[in-house]
Amino acid sequence: MVNDQRLSTIDRIFLVGFMGAGKTTVGRLLAQRLQSPFIDLDDRICEREGRNIAEIFRQSGEEYFRRVESECLRDLTMETEAGASGMPLVIALGGGAFVRAENADMLRATGAPVIFLDASLEELRRRCAGAGAERPLYRDENQFRQLYEARRGGYMAADRRVETGGKTPEQVVEELLALSF
Ligand code: S3P
């Protein structure tokens, strides 16, 4: 358990970044360390829709997915209840969420820190390899690179950037805990 005055003053931490950045893995671990709930925006979307991400994309299209994503994010930003430990909730967003201006505005309005988990294109590609079935936007290498390049500037608008390349999820969590908020 982390006993840290700084962290107990914030009610949420948002993790953003590209597919394969480790938002879910690192987020879950961080929440464990803080003994606070972990929330994955993609899980919220799937619960609400009663189907998985690939099915939503296939059956209803990306535009529909983005609409539901924004609605679920809005609902999430209204939930202010802190974890029982008094430590911040950890919330991971899907790779496309933060780069949409309306979503970034919603997060900004909460005043909670938004942390960009960064990695090189090579590393992201390696981590995502073989996961195409669950990631409808991981189609081929060229498309992956184009999306990465188009989005990188958007992620840089986060409050903090943490490099994850060559680090274990545990090491990334240590860095997150060492940030000053
Ligand atoms: C997406 C990333 C996915 C998921 C959806 C769209 C994206 O989440 O939200 O497939 O646009 O990059 P992860 O970043 O957790 O893979």
Side-chain angles (χ1 to χ4, degrees):
M1 168 71 183
V2 176
N3 187 5
D4 194 314
Q5 284 295 321
R6 292 164 314 136
L7 282 164
S8 62
T9 63
I10 51 179
D11 59 6
R12 276 164 288 193
I13 294 175
F14 292 103
L15 299 179
V16 305
F18 205 65
M19 290 172 261
K23 305 176 295 287
T24 303
T25 309
V26 167
R28 213 169 258 140
L29 249 163
L30 176 63
Q32 251 171 40
R33 286 288 301 277
L34 296 172
Q35 292 190 359
S36 89
F38 170 68
I39 299 168
D40 192 305
L41 178 60
D42 279 346
D43 288 347
R44 288 291 177 100
I45 296 169
C46 294
E47 277 162 29
R48 187 178 131 163
E49 288 289 307
R51 47 193 179 148
N52 66 34
I53 301 285
E55 286 167 339
I56 301 171
F57 268 76
R58 200 174 54 245
Q59 296 164 355
S60 307
E62 180 170 356
E63 207 179 301
Y64 176 86
F65 172 81
R66 296 298 172 200
R67 206 160 56 232
V68 178
E69 182 175 56
S70 290
E71 285 167 13
C72 288
L73 187 59
R74 184 171 303 280
D75 291 349
L76 254 179
T77 59
M78 307 284 186
E79 290 173 25
T80 52
E81 213 179 301
S85 63
M87 288 291 170
L89 304 177
V90 180
I91 303 172
L93 271 59
F98 185 64
V99 294
R100 286 171 77 88
E102 62 171 299
N103 296 340
D105 289 347
M106 270 188 242
L107 297 200
R108 218 161 277 129
T110 68
V114 178
I115 301 168
F116 167 31
L117 297 184
D118 200 6
S120 69
L121 181 59
E122 267 322 298
E123 179 133 3
L124 294 168
R125 203 174 1 219
R126 204 160 357 97
R127 292 182 196 159
C128 288
E134 299 107 63
R135 288 195 165 105
L137 291 183
Y138 182 66
R139 289 190 206 109
D140 60 64
E141 296 205 354
N142 204 28
Q143 188 261 0
F144 194 75
R145 180 178 46 77
Q146 280 173 9
L147 201 54
Y148 173 82
E149 284 168 2
R151 286 178 173 178
R152 204 158 184 291
Y155 299 135
M156 292 301 280
D159 301 308
R160 304 295 170 82
R161 185 186 75 88
V162 171
E163 177 58 52
T164 66
K167 295 174 190 162
T168 63
E170 288 78 7
Q171 286 171 322
V172 177
V173 167
E174 289 308 324
E175 284 194 30
L176 292 174
L177 290 171
L179 290 175
S180 54
F181 291 106

